[in-house]
Amino acid sequence: MERNKKVLTKQDLLPQVLDSNALGHFLDSSTLYKPYADNVRDFYAKREYHYAWVDHDSLTEQAGNFMNMVRTDPALGNDTSGLQSKSLDALYNDVGVDSGKVHPGDPRIAQLEMMLTAHFFLYADKIWGGRTSDSTKGLDWYIPRKKLDMASLLQSVISQKSGSFTSDEPVNRQYKLLRDELKKLADVDKAGQWDTIAVSKNILKPGQQSPVVTSVKIKLHALGDLPDADTSASFTPALDSALRNFEDRMGLKVDGQITPAVVKALNVPLKNRMEQILVNMERLRWVPADPSGDYLLVNIPAYKLYVYEDGKLAWNCNVVVGKPGGSTVIFTKKMQYVVFSPYWNVAPGILAHEVLPAVKRNPGYLARENMEVVTGTGKPVSGVNFNKYSGSNFPYIIRQKPGGKNSLGKVKFLFPNEYNIYLHDTPSKGLFNATDRSFSHGCIRVQEPEKLANWVLRKDSLWNADKIHTAMNAGKEKYVQLKGDEQVPVYISYFTAFVDSQGRLNMRSDVYGHDAELAKLLFAK
């Protein structure tokens, strides 16, 4: 939505004028709108108290559009916070006549005018800004929240001559896509019971027959995975395709079979799925509405890295993220370095709990793992009595040399941060084939590191594909500092519900329990 910040002229204003004392009384007497009293006062003061929603004897088209959006927004659900205001709805209906007209001289017109403005600020703040408090650090979310200029938003809305403004809402595109999916699930829920399918250890495959097949078909058809309705008990090729689609968008093993995992996913109550969508819509209220330029996005629950060019998805690949208890932090920084053939400096926690105990058990451990002991300046140290030290008092650095065994593989990508998290290659390629890929100590292992290195350095004339390949296999560490305009933002995010590039609703497990914590805040009542 293009923000309207121009200076208003008399021609821009509606003729009626509010009584400033009446406005003050309205704001002082309203508990619901009290947090937005200053916004409302400033808004009307700048327009010399002229009306914004009522023109002579008619409600503006934008008043009707706004009311319709509030009444039908599925994100409000069973709202208890006043966003679906019964008093505003009743007043709007009482004051209005046919075709957006109002009763001339109705003393409640001024009340409706003020309430529409106050409610806009409430709605914009909660629905476009976030229904939880500004502090999201208690939710382990360290990506700064977007800033909303609500006064400019309101001026943009009322300045539009015609048409709905829902397409121009200041929210991320994913928010709108999830809202549409929320409506679809609500319709499925209204259509009938979501019966539980009996879970069995038996796996059903194409060509087999079972009553379970019928139940699975009914649910997959309702969800849109199975295009044509079919209540037969035969496991058909169409069901095989539908299952593969469902498995893929649920993050399950894609094999076209009715497994216990598939039945379990189909048995999740629709209410739970809708709440999962609402939780992720809340997160999407916090992020930039229209990310532009080049950037990298890691979605932890999806175990994916997404590469964006000029705001559009270019490619993606699998990643391995931190295991529960060693979780990957949600934050954003700019990538500053690509490091070829890197050393791996063992982190303090790994040093204390894994490496030092291993060295004490087996003096040959360091040599076997191609590791060495060095000072802070990188000078080798020999003859260390490891039995004298624990992880907390070890005075040196243990690092793994570049090479085939190096835990960081052949390249790492640094976006310096206080969490010591970065992207890197790995020699453990088999883990990328797992369905759940939370195995690391917090850093993010990338399935296609050489492709990522080529992408990151594609604008640097000093680096081509051959030179990058050589540096990755040189066995000698080399830092490449990215130029200012080539330092792409890296977003480490957490979305368990999202719509993919094929327009399909995807759901993932709440691997770190962040959904559960946010749900406590959103659905406490």
Side-chain angles (χ1 to χ4, degrees):
M1 181 183 291
E2 186 68 27
R3 306 294 176 257
N4 192 329
K5 296 185 178 181
K6 72 174 184 177
V7 177
L8 296 171
T9 66
K10 291 291 184 181
Q11 289 75 26
D12 295 319
L13 299 172
L14 300 179
Q16 295 99 311
V17 176
L18 277 174
D19 184 319
S20 59
N21 291 326
L23 177 64
H25 177 73
F26 165 74
L27 294 172
D28 291 341
S29 61
S30 173
T31 304
L32 180 62
Y33 301 129
K34 195 165 189 176
Y36 309 99
D38 288 343
N39 301 86
V40 176
R41 287 192 180 95
D42 289 347
F43 172 75
Y44 279 113
K46 287 178 180 177
R47 56 190 298 113
E48 298 179 359
Y49 296 93
H50 281 262
Y51 278 29
W53 305 96
V54 186
D55 186 4
H56 294 291
D57 61 348
S58 300
L59 289 160
T60 65
E61 182 179 351
Q62 293 308 316
N65 288 339
F66 176 56
M67 285 300 300
N68 183 60
M69 186 166 66
V70 172
R71 287 166 170 165
T72 61
D73 191 341
L76 301 184
N78 296 320
D79 179 62
T80 57
S81 62
L83 281 165
Q84 286 184 326
S85 173
K86 292 182 179 178
S87 56
L88 173 60
D89 199 62
L91 183 60
Y92 185 86
N93 290 332
D94 288 348
V95 172
V97 204
D98 294 331
S99 303
K101 298 290 185 181
V102 295
H103 294 286
D106 190 323
R108 295 173 298 175
I109 291 176
Q111 179 80 2
L112 176 60
E113 164 68 30
M114 294 183 289
M115 193 175 287
L116 280 167
T117 297
H119 203 78
F120 181 91
F121 282 114
L122 169 66
Y123 184 91
D125 182 35
K126 298 299 183 185
I127 295 300
W128 296 332
R131 300 184 69 171
T132 53
S133 67
D134 285 343
S135 176
T136 52
K137 292 187 178 180
L139 300 169
D140 294 313
W141 182 281
Y142 299 93
I143 299 175
R145 277 196 177 190
K146 71 182 180 189
K147 301 296 183 183
L148 272 182
D149 184 349
M150 295 190 294
S152 294
L153 275 170
L154 176 52
Q155 186 56 46
S156 296
V157 165
I158 63 175
S159 297
Q160 292 186 30
K161 299 302 180 183
S162 63
S164 171
F165 53 83
T166 55
S167 60
D168 295 323
E169 294 169 276
V171 285
N172 190 279
R173 178 174 175 268
Q174 273 287 325
Y175 178 93
K176 301 174 186 179
L177 294 173
L178 282 184
R179 184 171 58 193
D180 291 341
E181 296 300 327
L182 186 63
K183 290 178 182 177
K184 293 177 185 177
L185 284 186
D187 290 340
V188 174
D189 194 33
K190 290 176 184 176
Q193 282 191 315
W194 196 248
D195 295 330
T196 300
I197 304 172
V199 180
S200 170
K201 293 182 179 179
N202 296 329
I203 295 176
L204 296 173
K205 301 179 181 180
Q208 294 181 309
Q209 291 199 348
S210 169
V212 171
V213 170
T214 300
S215 299
V216 169
K217 283 180 176 179
I218 291 171
K219 288 197 173 188
L220 290 179
H221 177 63
L223 293 174
D225 297 282
L226 184 63
D228 299 321
D230 178 6
T231 57
S232 72
S234 299
F235 199 128
T236 61
L239 177 58
D240 177 86
S241 297
L243 281 166
R244 291 176 185 275
N245 191 67
F246 178 76
E247 290 164 340
D248 189 41
R249 63 188 190 85
M250 293 292 125
L252 304 174
K253 181 181 179 181
V254 180
D255 57 13
Q257 300 176 2
I258 300 178
T259 63
V262 166
V263 175
K264 183 179 178 182
L266 285 170
N267 280 339
V268 173
L270 291 175
K271 174 180 177 292
N272 293 23
R273 291 296 191 196
M274 289 188 281
E275 287 190 352
Q276 186 176 352
I277 290 176
L278 287 168
V279 163
N280 285 273
M281 287 175 69
E282 172 64 14
R283 291 193 184 103
L284 285 162
R285 294 180 178 116
W286 308 338
V287 302
D290 296 304
S292 58
D294 300 342
Y295 63 95
L296 303 175
L297 172 69
V298 174
N299 186 8
I300 294 168
Y303 308 119
K304 286 281 189 180
L305 165 68
Y306 301 90
V307 178
Y308 286 85
E309 292 182 17
D310 295 325
K312 295 181 180 179
L313 181 64
W315 56 277
N316 67 77
C317 69
N318 291 343
V319 297
V320 171
V321 301
K323 56 191 174 185
S327 56
T328 302
V329 182
I330 302 162
F331 70 103
T332 182
K333 292 287 183 180
K334 283 193 173 184
M335 186 180 292
Q336 296 183 25
Y337 303 94
V338 177
V339 186
F340 295 113
S341 298
Y343 283 99
W344 174 47
N345 291 340
V346 179
I350 302 174
L351 178 70
H353 298 108
E354 297 181 29
V355 174
L356 281 182
V359 173
K360 292 173 184 179
R361 290 192 303 268
N362 177 10
Y365 175 84
L366 292 183
R368 188 187 76 197
E369 296 299 324
N370 199 29
M371 290 180 170
E372 62 181 355
V373 183
V374 297
T375 64
T377 60
K379 183 179 179 181
V381 178
S382 60
V384 178
N385 183 358
F386 293 99
N387 291 315
K388 291 173 54 179
Y389 303 108
S390 65
S392 59
N393 68 354
F394 192 70
Y396 306 113
I397 294 170
I398 292 182
R399 69 182 184 182
Q400 193 173 37
K401 301 174 187 177
K405 278 193 172 183
N406 190 286
S407 295
L408 304 184
K410 299 177 179 180
V411 62
K412 66 179 179 179
F413 306 86
L414 301 182
F415 34 103
N417 58 82
E418 59 267 47
Y419 316 110
N420 197 29
I421 287 176
Y422 44 88
L423 303 173
H424 65 86
D425 181 19
T426 175
S428 304
K429 305 296 186 183
L431 294 178
F432 293 112
N433 297 322
T435 303
D436 297 320
R437 296 189 291 276
S438 54
F439 301 113
S440 81
H441 291 88
C443 286
I444 300 155
R445 306 173 192 175
V446 180
Q447 186 177 27
E448 299 186 60
E450 189 163 348
K451 183 175 182 179
L452 180 60
N454 275 280
W455 184 85
V456 170
L457 295 171
R458 69 195 188 285
K459 297 177 182 178
D460 190 334
S461 60
L462 296 177
W463 289 94
N464 57 32
D466 289 339
K467 190 172 181 181
I468 287 172
H469 183 78
T470 299
M472 286 179 63
N473 293 278
K476 182 178 180 181
E477 186 176 73
K478 180 173 182 59
Y479 270 70
V480 179
Q481 184 169 5
L482 301 178
K483 300 172 185 176
D485 59 347
E486 296 172 4
Q487 294 183 2
V488 294
V490 181
Y491 295 93
I492 313 298
S493 65
Y494 194 93
F495 295 104
T496 63
F498 57 94
V499 177
D500 63 21
S501 57
Q502 300 176 55
R504 305 176 306 170
L505 173 64
N506 280 242
M507 305 292 248
R508 295 293 187 271
S509 297
D510 184 16
V511 61
Y512 295 159
H514 293 333
D515 275 15
E517 290 300 313
L518 182 51
K520 289 178 185 177
L521 297 179
L522 290 178
F523 311 127
K525 296 181 182 180

